[in-house]
Amino acid sequence: MKSKITLKKIAKEFDVSISTVSKALKDSHEISEEVRERIKAFAKYYNYKPNSLAVNLRNQKTKTIGVIIPQIVHHFFTKVISGIEHIANENGYNVMICLSNESYEKEVLNMDMLESGIVDGIIVSVAKETEEKEDYKHFKQLIDNGLPLVLFDREIPEINCNKVIVDDFGGGFLATKHLMNISCKRIAIITTPDHVMVGKIRKEGYIQALTENNFPIQEELIIKVNEKYDITNQIQKLFDQANPPDGIFAVNEIYAATVIKIAQKRNLKIPDEIAIMGFTDGLISEYTTPSLSAVDQHGYTMGEKAMELLLDEINYQDSDYKYNTTIIETDLKLRESTKKQIISY
Amino acid sequence: MKSKITLKKIAKEFDVSISTVSKALKDSHEISEEVRERIKAFAKYYNYKPNSLAVNLRNQKTKTIGVIIPQIVHHFFTKVISGIEHIANENGYNVMICLSNESYEKEVLNMDMLESGIVDGIIVSVAKETEEKEDYKHFKQLIDNGLPLVLFDREIPEINCNKVIVDDFGGGFLATKHLMNISCKRIAIITTPDHVMVGKIRKEGYIQALTENNFPIQEELIIKVNEKYDITNQIQKLFDQANPPDGIFAVNEIYAATVIKIAQKRNLKIPDEIAIMGFTDGLISEYTTPSLSAVDQHGYTMGEKAMELLLDEINYQDSDYKYNTTIIETDLKLRESTKKQIISY
DNA sequence: ATATTATCCTCAAACGTTTGCGTAAAAAAA
DNA sequence: TTTTTTTACGCAAACGTTTGAGGATAATAT
């Protein structure tokens, strides 16, 4: 294993000082053209690359940002990452991705590591377990340490920092309203336990839509899926009721796709007997049969926006920085699972 | 913005030397218990974290590895990453993910950056554009620089390094054989242009299966999709033929899912009139109707294996390291899109 | 010839760690 | 009391880079 070439070695080769080499490689006018060119040629030949650890240590910045996401096997998060990457690269930043796997402990570990000077800022979507524990001291610590932080999608109200969230309330409202518009009479929701904020808020949008239109709120139409157990079984129950729903709003893609599978197994006609709305950016929706109508989360835009906010804070010089919460509006991607005659909007 | 706390600042606070602080924090017996405890308490209170740039510079290693993948919005790659993360974290390594977006230029850029000392090793799946250009000098350079490299999935024969690939030939063979076993008579393949190696090799498996069983090779049954144009249109042509196929092997999930959509639009019964096999690890397959039979790529296993090989090379002391190519065997995940009576195996 | 300026290079500190070695003072042994 | 040992800390170099200040030599101006 050849050891890497450094300024020192080049300097020794030409019998000049390290600073001469450094300056030559940066095309400094302080170095004669002849020496400069010879050094540059040599460096190029030996594929010299400045050691970024050293450079970063010296410059006290790394041009790298860290991203902590709960899962990567999830289309929404990969879209967000693409958006982050896009803006980051445009601005000469690299992206380091870490996974929390929805675990509090891994989230803390990752943050500890990122806090040690390798990144100029951090973008995080909170792990479910952290939301459940409501233990946010690692975030407070991060901010205390002066490291710029942006939260996206799953945010924490009590933490003061830049945020970008989707309009979950509006999305839930829109989805439910749409089901009403295609004349569904009993509209169910399949959501997460309340500690998952986005699920809770989407549900609130659902409730608002019902209330506004004088639909009763019926507990038996609200399924809170516990992912520790079989999802299909929990959703099944909705169809076993005496008076099953004719419209379902599922707060994510997997729940929605599962509903389709169940409905098909029971020979229910989609969307005529049961209409289905999802909430997703995902790929599955396009390929189910029927394809799935969904609230579009605009993950890519979200990533872009998060990175922009982070850059904003990184580049801000003064101490009176003002945090911003950007809300990404949702809209509906209507496909086949709700394709009935639309009555009104 | 508070500036971060360092050994120097702690040292000044206690009026001791930097080394005393460093040693105290590492519980060195060289430091008296009293001083040790006071320093540790102080450091903990102020949330001291060693600057990893400095530590890494000093130790000449970073406990971080870099991964370059062509796309992240692709379930196979996310699975691989999960596998890599798993083994990496188990061994105290962090993972830095970079996207090449299938672009040669971005691949080179990412490698340049990773080569600058921030990682102890690199795992790469080659970008399509690079395969097309057949320009691999950045890989050669990397190896020349002595940085451990593992290629996965899309490999380069002429580059000498650790590799982990799926048995694409075997997969293609198995898939085709299975279609024959459910009595398909005209079996088509939807693949990539030949410069995408995995597509090419899967096709070779397909051809082998046909040949072995005295099926003719028919050019009109081989579709090479150019992703620059509309995928659906290109695949459609298969069905417009005078004598359309009754079995289709698609080399990836999107192609396969697209076939389902097309078949449905044409009211072809799956699998009776047309059976479909995919090649994927993806989520879509489970949720299409009918669900999709596919060659399982074992992405997670692949990631684990790649990371293990990388660690192997990183930890190898002597200079006689021997490279290894691990082949991940494929198997079939049979679902509804080929659910006919199986004749024999 | 002397003073001034331009050219080309080196010095040295700094970024924040780690760690082998040296050493003063205190404690123990002779 | 003197010698030896132990305890508890500091020194300084090293990792690889950047950069302002300074210095020697050569070129130009006076």
Side-chain angles (χ1 to χ4, degrees):
Chain A
M1 163 148 41
K2 268 181 273 182
S3 66
K4 289 204 61 173
I5 185 127
T6 64
L7 290 185
K8 196 192 249 181
K9 290 181 192 157
I10 303 182
K12 184 178 277 175
E13 186 71 24
F14 285 86
D15 203 26
V16 295
S17 76
I18 293 177
S19 29
T20 302
V21 179
S22 175
K23 286 174 181 171
L25 292 177
K26 314 201 111 180
D27 258 330
S28 163
H29 61 275
E30 286 184 48
I31 309 299
S32 71
E33 192 166 336
E34 191 223 326
V35 176
R36 221 191 303 162
E37 292 309 323
R38 284 202 305 151
I39 289 180
K40 279 164 66 181
F42 183 89
K44 178 159 192 187
Y45 180 77
Y46 283 101
N47 189 26
Y48 168 76
K49 301 240 169 59
N51 178 315
S52 18
L53 295 178
V55 175
N56 294 340
L57 181 59
R58 167 75 220 225
N59 296 340
Q60 295 291 87
K61 65 180 174 198
T62 67
K63 282 279 183 179
T64 299
I65 66 115
V67 180
I68 305 179
I69 54 171
Q71 316 167 28
I72 195 166
V73 192
H74 195 314
H75 200 266
F76 169 67
F77 289 115
T78 60
K79 280 242 177 173
V80 176
I81 289 178
S82 297
I84 292 174
E85 266 259 337
H86 172 217
I87 301 296
N89 290 161
E90 241 177 26
N91 288 274
Y93 279 78
N94 292 302
V95 178
M96 185 157 181
I97 297 165
C98 305
L99 308 182
S100 67
N101 286 325
E102 305 284 11
S103 139
Y104 168 80
E105 198 196 1
K106 271 209 73 180
E107 184 174 278
V108 173
L109 244 51
N110 278 323
M111 276 173 75
D112 266 10
M113 173 214 121
L114 292 176
E115 235 174 311
S116 66
I118 22 178
V119 294
D120 294 344
I122 299 187
I123 298 177
V124 184
S125 187
V126 185
K128 281 185 188 163
E129 206 189 338
T130 306
E131 286 188 312
E132 198 166 358
K133 286 181 85 137
E134 298 186 29
D135 178 344
Y136 307 126
K137 49 179 171 316
H138 47 309
F139 287 99
K140 292 189 183 126
Q141 214 172 69
L142 191 87
I143 293 174
D144 272 1
N145 267 338
L147 204 57
L149 167 72
V150 176
L151 292 177
F152 77 91
D153 194 41
R154 308 196 193 146
E155 66 115 354
I156 309 167
E158 65 209 81
I159 293 291
N160 191 25
C161 66
N162 277 324
K163 297 168 184 178
V164 28
I165 53 179
V166 313
D167 181 11
D168 288 302
F169 185 90
F173 183 87
L174 268 183
T176 311
K177 199 75 197 294
H178 177 66
L179 288 171
M180 295 179 352
N181 286 342
I182 58 171
S183 67
C184 293
K185 296 301 172 211
R186 273 178 73 75
I187 302 174
I189 183 172
I190 301 173
T191 183
T192 59
D194 277 345
H195 64 79
V196 179
M197 286 304 284
V198 294
K200 185 180 172 196
I201 299 176
R202 287 169 197 175
K203 189 188 68 189
E204 284 164 5
Y206 157 84
I207 288 177
Q208 172 74 17
L210 293 185
T211 311
E212 259 183 27
N213 293 273
N214 302 314
F215 279 59
I217 312 298
Q218 294 175 287
E219 282 305 324
E220 71 268 25
L221 294 182
I222 300 179
I223 304 283
K224 293 178 185 170
V225 174
N226 183 337
E227 296 196 2
K228 292 200 180 87
Y229 306 107
D230 183 77
I231 298 178
T232 305
N233 280 342
Q234 295 173 67
I235 298 181
Q236 292 269 21
K237 300 207 175 92
L238 210 48
F239 293 90
D240 291 334
Q241 299 177 8
N243 194 1
D246 59 355
I248 296 184
F249 167 42
V251 301
N252 68 42
E253 185 167 53
I254 297 295
Y255 297 173
T258 305
V259 170
I260 290 187
K261 281 285 171 195
I262 295 174
Q264 282 172 343
K265 201 158 285 167
R266 298 185 174 225
N267 285 318
L268 292 169
K269 286 214 160 48
I270 310 171
D272 301 308
E273 293 173 279
I274 177 89
I276 305 168
M277 284 286 318
F279 201 119
T280 181
D281 230 16
L283 263 183
I284 296 177
S285 309
E286 292 176 41
Y287 293 102
T288 55
T289 307
S291 57
L292 200 53
S293 294
V295 179
D296 193 339
Q297 287 181 91
H298 301 294
Y300 191 83
T301 312
M302 209 161 171
E304 290 184 318
K305 193 66 204 174
M307 188 63 209
E308 279 165 11
L309 284 174
L310 189 64
L311 284 173
D312 220 53
E313 188 176 352
I314 290 174
N315 296 328
Y316 199 81
Q317 308 292 349
D318 307 332
S319 58
D320 61 336
Y321 189 73
K322 199 67 178 48
Y323 293 117
N324 175 298
T325 295
T326 301
I327 296 173
I328 307 283
E329 293 304 330
T330 57
D331 47 39
L332 300 182
K333 269 246 163 67
L334 297 180
R335 299 199 184 84
E336 297 161 358
S337 68
T338 59
K339 211 168 203 166
K340 288 196 197 174
Q341 166 118 48
I342 290 174
I343 300 173
S344 79
Y345 245 117
Chain B
M1 164 147 41
K2 267 181 272 181
S3 66
K4 290 202 61 175
I5 186 128
T6 63
L7 290 185
K8 195 194 252 182
K9 290 182 192 157
I10 303 182
K12 184 178 278 175
E13 186 71 24
F14 285 86
D15 203 27
V16 295
S17 76
I18 293 178
S19 33
T20 301
V21 178
S22 175
K23 287 172 182 170
L25 292 177
K26 314 201 113 178
D27 257 330
S28 163
H29 60 275
E30 285 186 47
I31 308 299
S32 70
E33 192 166 336
E34 191 222 326
V35 175
R36 220 191 304 162
E37 291 309 322
R38 284 202 305 152
I39 289 180
K40 278 165 67 182
F42 184 90
K44 178 156 191 192
Y45 182 76
Y46 283 101
N47 189 27
Y48 168 76
K49 300 239 170 58
N51 180 315
S52 18
L53 295 178
V55 175
N56 294 340
L57 181 59
R58 167 75 219 227
N59 296 341
Q60 295 293 85
K61 65 179 174 199
T62 67
K63 282 280 186 177
T64 299
I65 66 115
V67 179
I68 304 179
I69 53 171
Q71 318 167 27
I72 194 165
V73 192
H74 195 313
H75 199 265
F76 169 68
F77 289 115
T78 60
K79 280 241 179 174
V80 176
I81 288 179
S82 296
I84 293 175
E85 266 259 337
H86 173 217
I87 302 296
N89 290 161
E90 239 177 26
N91 288 274
Y93 279 78
N94 291 301
V95 179
M96 184 158 180
I97 298 164
C98 305
L99 308 181
S100 67
N101 286 324
E102 305 284 10
S103 139
Y104 169 80
E105 198 197 0
K106 271 209 74 181
E107 184 173 280
V108 173
L109 244 49
N110 278 322
M111 276 173 75
D112 266 11
M113 173 212 120
L114 293 176
E115 235 174 310
S116 66
I118 22 179
V119 295
D120 294 345
I122 299 188
I123 299 178
V124 184
S125 185
V126 185
K128 282 185 187 163
E129 207 189 338
T130 306
E131 286 189 313
E132 198 166 0
K133 286 181 86 137
E134 298 185 27
D135 179 345
Y136 308 125
K137 50 179 171 316
H138 47 308
F139 287 99
K140 292 188 183 126
Q141 216 172 67
L142 191 87
I143 293 172
D144 273 0
N145 267 337
L147 204 56
L149 167 72
V150 176
L151 292 177
F152 77 91
D153 193 43
R154 309 196 193 144
E155 68 115 354
I156 309 167
E158 65 207 81
I159 293 292
N160 190 25
C161 66
N162 278 324
K163 297 168 184 179
V164 29
I165 54 179
V166 312
D167 181 10
D168 288 302
F169 185 90
F173 183 86
L174 268 184
T176 311
K177 200 75 197 298
H178 177 67
L179 288 170
M180 294 177 355
N181 285 344
I182 57 170
S183 69
C184 293
K185 296 300 171 211
R186 275 179 70 75
I187 301 175
I189 184 172
I190 301 174
T191 184
T192 59
D194 276 346
H195 63 79
V196 180
M197 286 305 283
V198 293
K200 185 181 171 195
I201 299 175
R202 288 168 198 176
K203 188 188 67 191
E204 284 164 4
Y206 156 85
I207 288 176
Q208 172 74 15
L210 292 185
T211 311
E212 260 183 26
N213 293 274
N214 301 315
F215 278 59
I217 311 298
Q218 294 176 285
E219 282 305 323
E220 70 269 25
L221 293 182
I222 300 178
I223 305 283
K224 293 179 186 169
V225 174
N226 181 338
E227 296 196 2
K228 291 199 180 86
Y229 307 107
D230 183 78
I231 297 177
T232 305
N233 280 342
Q234 294 173 69
I235 298 180
Q236 292 268 19
K237 298 205 176 94
L238 210 49
F239 293 90
D240 292 331
Q241 300 177 8
N243 195 1
D246 59 356
I248 295 185
F249 167 41
V251 300
N252 67 42
E253 185 167 53
I254 297 295
Y255 297 173
T258 305
V259 170
I260 290 188
K261 282 285 170 195
I262 294 174
Q264 282 172 341
K265 201 159 285 165
R266 296 184 176 227
N267 284 319
L268 292 169
K269 285 213 159 51
I270 310 172
D272 301 308
E273 293 173 276
I274 176 89
I276 305 168
M277 284 285 319
F279 201 119
T280 181
D281 229 17
L283 264 183
I284 296 177
S285 309
E286 292 177 40
Y287 293 102
T288 54
T289 307
S291 57
L292 200 52
S293 294
V295 180
D296 193 339
Q297 287 181 89
H298 301 294
Y300 191 84
T301 311
M302 208 162 174
E304 290 183 319
K305 194 68 204 170
M307 188 64 210
E308 280 164 12
L309 285 174
L310 189 64
L311 285 173
D312 222 50
E313 188 175 353
I314 290 175
N315 296 327
Y316 200 81
Q317 308 291 347
D318 306 333
S319 59
D320 61 335
Y321 189 73
K322 199 68 178 47
Y323 294 116
N324 174 298
T325 294
T326 301
I327 297 174
I328 307 283
E329 293 304 330
T330 56
D331 47 38
L332 299 182
K333 268 247 163 69
L334 298 179
R335 299 199 184 84
E336 298 161 357
S337 68
T338 59
K339 210 168 205 167
K340 288 196 198 174
Q341 167 118 48
I342 291 173
I343 299 170
S344 81
Y345 245 119

